[in-house]
Amino acid sequence: MKSRRIVSWFLFALIALTAAMVATTEKSSAIVQQQRSQIAIPIIINVTPSPLAFAPANASANAIVASFVRSAGAPAHYVDPVAALFAGARVVVAQTNQQAVRVEAEVTPNPNATLLTANNFSGPIPGEVVFTGFSGAKLTQSCAYQVKVQTTTVGWNLEQGLSNDFSSGFPGGDLANNTYLIAATPQPVATPFIVFPDNNNAFTEMAKNGGTQTYCVDLTITIPQGLAGGSYGTNAIYTLFF
Amino acid sequence: MRKSVGWIVTAAMLAMTFAPASAQTNVPGAVHVKWFAQAIVKVTLTPNYFTGFGAVKATFGAQPTPTHGPDAGPGVGQGSIDFGNVLSGTDYLYKYAAHLQVTTNSTTGFNLYGEGAADFVNQSGGSEPISSTVFYLNSTSGSPPDTNTGFSGALPFQRTAGTPSSTSFGLPPTIAYTGFPAPIAVSPTPTADFFYDYELKVPPSATGGNYFVWIVYTVVPQ
């Protein structure tokens, strides 16, 4: 009788332990997610007056030419014979003002490349976002680009952030995003991007969702007052986990 | 008669030539000399210009060791900027890609232009827009070391609106301009050095194959 009771307790304990282990395993797999894809969207801010502005300049096509004006009262031998030699002569100066270098790559298609993509950029150049404005200006691009997750996975996480500040005097936080599902309406307010190295090397969660989803990203940039003209760049990084 | 006239003229000319300066009347006068000097430009482009050149995948944290494709190097200063094998939908940085040493006689400096002679062309057919695939960013001479990563901010190369002399794989082109694009750099001094890394952002939809583009640098004195 006593041994039966012991066996029953043992079986009960075994079943309870097994159930606990199964539960723990399921919980672990639900929490631990792997990075599946990461994309970077170049964001370029051209601040005017910019050194990138069009400034046509032509190399002189003339040869070296000397001309001289002689005082009317000066005798003929005051003329510098060296200068006279140059007058009207064509002197060719060897120069090379163009050089080229070849860029190559062997591309292999990546089956996971379409898990996370960015497309439908509002600007003229596909694959990048460009703002142009004066220092102190506040500029907005509505649905500057779309971020698309394309998977059948039920539960995934999408994180976002900037790779770097634009410069030491132009923090990445001056760029704010308003991110929303393409079929929905924008959020009430835009949120400044966090910058990965300024945020303890961490991104922030942008969305938790499942299946195929497309987000619109409105961008607002506030260019610091007194910022020197030039071109400033960073990347908006999106990382998919499931 | 003719002979004696000739001697007289010759004697007179000799007398004028060898006449002592003190015997002349010196009349001071201003001499204005205008020089139109042709710009002298020398551009030296050194690919793979420092030890450790090559491509790394865009990664946060510890950076992988750079590698490169077979057409880069093998030594420093040699070969193409060959990223080697890359995956579509992935970004890469190529460290120590190009060093430009520019020497001019222009005291007001010069503009540096850098453009693609074409798009990023797949030799098996098709192409990807260069402006969304091949980028450039400032690097160092190697000392201090280059700290860029594949996520560092970079600017895109544009496909030229000028006329390239060639777009073939084996022939370095020049570009004939009727108007210049926006310069990639402006130097206020006659000479300057530029050190660039390149980035490659391979589009997710890129088909497999060997891609290439010639980047042409042009210097125009201001």
Side-chain angles (χ1 to χ4, degrees), chain B residues 118-136:
Chain B
D119 278 325
F120 201 41
V121 174
N122 186 347
Q123 291 180 275
S124 303
S127 65
E128 297 292 339
I130 185 175
S131 61
S132 54
T133 50
V134 186
F135 293 68
Y136 64 93

Side-chain angles (χ1 to χ4, degrees), chain B residues 126-159:
Chain B
S127 65
E128 297 292 339
I130 185 175
S131 61
S132 54
T133 50
V134 186
F135 293 68
Y136 64 93
L137 65 164
N138 288 329
S139 184
T140 68
S141 64
S143 178
D146 177 9
T147 57
N148 288 329
T149 73
F151 293 120
S152 297
L155 296 168
F157 282 113
Q158 304 293 334
R159 179 181 174 168

